[in-house]
Amino acid sequence: MNKSKGLKMMVCLVLLLSLLAACSKGNDASSNPPAAPTNNQGGEPAQQTEKEVKLTFFNTSAEVNEVFEKLFQTYHELHPNVTVELIPTPIGGAQIEKFQSLLASGNPATIANLDAGTILQYKDSFLDLESEKAKYEELTKPGAVDGALLDGKFLGIPWTAQGYGLLYNKRAVEEAIGGAFDPASIKTRNDLEALFEKIEAAGKAPVMIHGADWSLGSHYLGLAYSLQSANVDDNRKFMESLQTGEVKLIDNPQFNGLLDTFDLLKKYNARKGDPLVADYNKDSADFAKGDAAFYFMGDWTWAIVGPLEGRDQEFGVIPVPISNNPDDYGNSQIAYSEPKLFAIDNAGSTPEQQEAAKAFIEWMVTSDQGQEAIISQMGLSMPYKDVKVKGSNIISEAVSQYVDQGKVMNIGVINYLPQDYWAKTGAAMQKYLVDKVDRKGLADEVQEYWEYQGKK
């Protein structure tokens, strides 16, 4: 081989090797991309390559707007491709009107934190979460998902739970009776009356009735609709019969038993001199400091009681006894519900937004950060089994004991009632509280309201 031919072959070989090397680099780049950056809170790959998704969150729990906003920021730091924007509503403001406006404009919120009754009213605008139902039945305490069903559909995910009944201030009760108080000893109305007599004889006010229409019309009188049966569908049938006039309240044993107990509460009411003042902050504070031994209210009052200086330290709850038969439904159960649900829009949201919303809600109710915000910062109770955060709401803890024992009354029938029922019937209860109408007059007013609803 001459030198010229050898040189040519060597040049060709170098070019061939260079070409193969370039091809090899190209293949490596496509099959082994650089590692995705990791977030520093858990080490999971941040989904940088996913499509960015923006979610909007309509919130009717206005008192905790800031807590939600901080939670959204935390989620965005963990999942940079997902942004959650708060649509706030004012406390006591026209919340539903704002929700309706967004829906009518074709720009509904991706996620809505709403009362169950509102979700039911607009059920065609929300995503059916049947695919998520089994998961949440596993995550939540028994009955939580059933209590959230609306017309048999899983349209909203429960995230908080509330219970109410006769709250008690342990110190005030025990000082009055001169010994330990066993809440399980109050099984009947007569038991309650005997206790009230002892407390009054010791110079203390036995009970506080808050005179607002929502407390009287929804929480107290509303028990009559749930006491008919442990089955919500049976209670709905009862309400339908009430609206047609087939059932008369004045003849209903549960209604009359409830009113017999209300008469007892009226007799021993700390506010009987001026029962309609209805100062929620003052009533809650006076109970917390022992000016009344019992208080017809719910665990939500901890928002007032908890931060109060000079309050007592131990509180509990007992059911409202509605008869003298301890086995009657309601005598050993406290009222319990999931008042707010997270619903996902199905009117204007994309499939990507809906899937991102499902993942975000699951994170809120199961993660350490979400539970810390809901329990510690919002002061609420969660109907979930694996709650990692210990709350400070002593009254919610007392409610949870009834839940764990299955001693709760499902008040879900109220989700199917008109939005103004508590205000209209609450006004009638206020008249009864101040003796402006007798029991027959009260029953007639409430009956008239329901029969009017049946004709609409």
Side-chain angles (χ1 to χ4, degrees):
M1 181 184 300
N2 61 41
K3 290 182 180 179
S4 175
K5 189 172 181 181
L7 182 61
K8 286 180 181 178
M9 289 181 68
M10 186 175 294
V11 169
C12 289
L13 182 60
V14 169
L15 289 172
L16 180 60
L17 291 171
S18 299
L19 182 61
L20 288 171
C23 291
S24 175
K25 283 184 180 180
N27 289 338
D28 286 348
S30 61
S31 62
N32 297 297
T38 60
N39 63 59
N40 57 11
Q41 299 186 51
E44 296 178 1
Q47 299 175 353
Q48 301 286 346
T49 58
E50 286 190 9
K51 181 179 178 182
E52 290 194 1
V53 180
K54 179 182 177 181
L55 309 177
T56 51
F57 184 95
F58 184 85
N59 182 38
T60 55
S61 300
E63 67 280 3
V64 291
N65 280 335
E66 291 185 8
V67 180
F68 272 122
E69 285 190 300
K70 290 177 182 176
L71 202 54
F72 301 162
Q73 181 59 38
T74 299
Y75 190 76
H76 180 65
E77 291 169 0
L78 295 171
H79 304 271
N81 60 305
V82 181
T83 302
V84 188
E85 179 183 297
L86 179 73
I87 301 176
T89 61
I91 296 175
Q95 297 178 331
I96 302 308
E97 288 81 354
K98 187 170 183 177
F99 171 78
Q100 292 169 330
S101 175
L102 289 170
L103 196 59
S105 69
N107 190 33
T110 322
I111 303 169
N113 171 34
L114 294 168
D115 294 344
T118 303
I119 295 172
L120 179 65
Q121 186 179 354
Y122 295 95
K123 61 183 179 181
D124 294 337
S125 299
F126 293 112
L127 189 66
D128 188 338
L129 297 168
E130 180 65 27
S131 62
E132 306 290 296
K133 184 180 173 186
K135 178 200 311 181
Y136 281 97
E137 284 176 331
E138 186 65 29
L139 289 171
T140 57
K141 292 182 178 182
V145 169
D146 284 346
L149 296 182
L150 301 168
D151 273 343
K153 291 186 176 182
F154 190 43
L155 299 173
I157 295 168
W159 64 282
T160 181
Q162 292 181 337
Y164 70 90
L166 284 170
L167 310 185
Y168 65 87
N169 180 318
K170 187 178 180 184
R171 179 194 62 80
V173 175
E174 292 189 341
E175 281 187 2
I177 65 175
F181 172 58
D182 177 10
S185 65
I186 309 302
K187 298 181 174 67
T188 66
R189 186 188 307 112
N190 282 347
D191 292 339
L192 185 65
E193 183 169 19
L195 178 61
F196 281 1
E197 288 174 352
K198 287 183 181 178
I199 294 171
E200 186 176 63
K204 291 186 178 292
V207 66
M208 183 90 69
I209 300 177
H210 183 62
D213 54 4
W214 55 266
S215 182
L216 299 174
S218 175
H219 297 148
Y220 197 88
L221 184 60
L223 291 174
Y225 317 135
S226 300
L227 282 165
Q228 304 301 317
S229 168
N231 186 290
V232 172
D233 288 335
D234 289 343
N235 293 333
R236 290 179 69 185
K237 291 174 184 175
F238 171 79
M239 297 308 297
E240 289 169 4
S241 298
L242 199 58
Q243 291 178 20
T244 62
E246 182 182 347
V247 165
K248 298 296 183 184
L249 264 184
I250 195 63
D251 300 323
N252 182 261
Q254 287 85 352
F255 170 79
N256 281 296
L258 194 63
L259 265 290
D260 286 344
T261 302
F262 192 74
D263 289 345
L264 179 65
L265 301 182
K266 279 172 60 176
K267 178 179 177 181
Y268 291 98
N269 183 17
R271 298 285 188 246
K272 62 185 173 184
D274 199 356
L276 296 183
V277 170
D279 186 330
Y280 177 59
N281 287 339
K282 181 170 174 49
D283 287 353
S284 299
D286 285 354
F287 162 73
K289 293 180 178 180
D291 290 348
F294 285 83
Y295 185 25
F296 177 71
M297 192 53 64
D299 54 13
W300 55 83
T301 198
W302 191 253
I304 305 296
V305 172
L308 197 67
E309 291 185 10
R311 66 169 172 82
D312 285 309
Q313 300 300 310
E314 296 183 80
F315 304 92
V317 61
I318 63 170
V320 176
I322 52 95
S323 76
N324 283 318
N325 179 355
D327 296 327
D328 282 349
Y329 180 60
N331 281 345
S332 58
Q333 292 84 17
I334 62 165
Y336 180 76
S337 69
E338 289 100 17
K340 300 278 186 182
L341 305 174
F342 291 143
I344 298 175
D345 170 64
N346 198 33
S349 299
T350 66
E352 291 82 6
Q353 287 175 315
Q354 291 173 346
E355 290 305 309
K358 290 178 187 177
F360 171 62
I361 291 171
E362 184 177 348
W363 176 84
M364 274 204 294
V365 298
T366 61
S367 70
D368 290 353
Q369 298 97 322
Q371 292 185 353
E372 170 70 24
I374 293 169
I375 295 172
S376 298
Q377 297 173 42
M378 298 184 192
L380 301 174
S381 176
M382 297 184 70
Y384 284 77
K385 296 174 184 173
D386 185 22
V387 175
K388 311 169 188 73
V389 179
K390 177 136 180 91
S392 61
N393 189 331
I394 296 169
I395 303 173
S396 285
E397 291 299 314
V399 168
S400 292
Q401 293 178 23
Y402 284 89
V403 177
D404 293 342
Q405 296 171 32
K407 294 181 177 180
V408 292
M409 183 193 313
N410 187 335
I411 58 173
V413 67
I414 65 174
N415 297 331
Y416 300 89
L417 305 184
Q419 297 293 304
D420 67 348
Y421 86 93
W422 56 268
K424 298 293 186 183
T425 61
M429 282 292 290
Q430 286 176 323
K431 292 180 186 177
Y432 187 74
L433 179 61
V434 295
D435 297 320
K436 288 291 180 68
V437 294
D438 60 11
R439 185 174 302 190
K440 177 69 165 53
L442 169 65
D444 287 347
E445 284 196 33
V446 176
Q447 185 85 38
E448 183 179 345
Y449 168 79
W450 289 116
E451 290 187 11
Y452 171 75
Q453 293 299 317
K455 294 173 183 174
K456 287 173 68 174

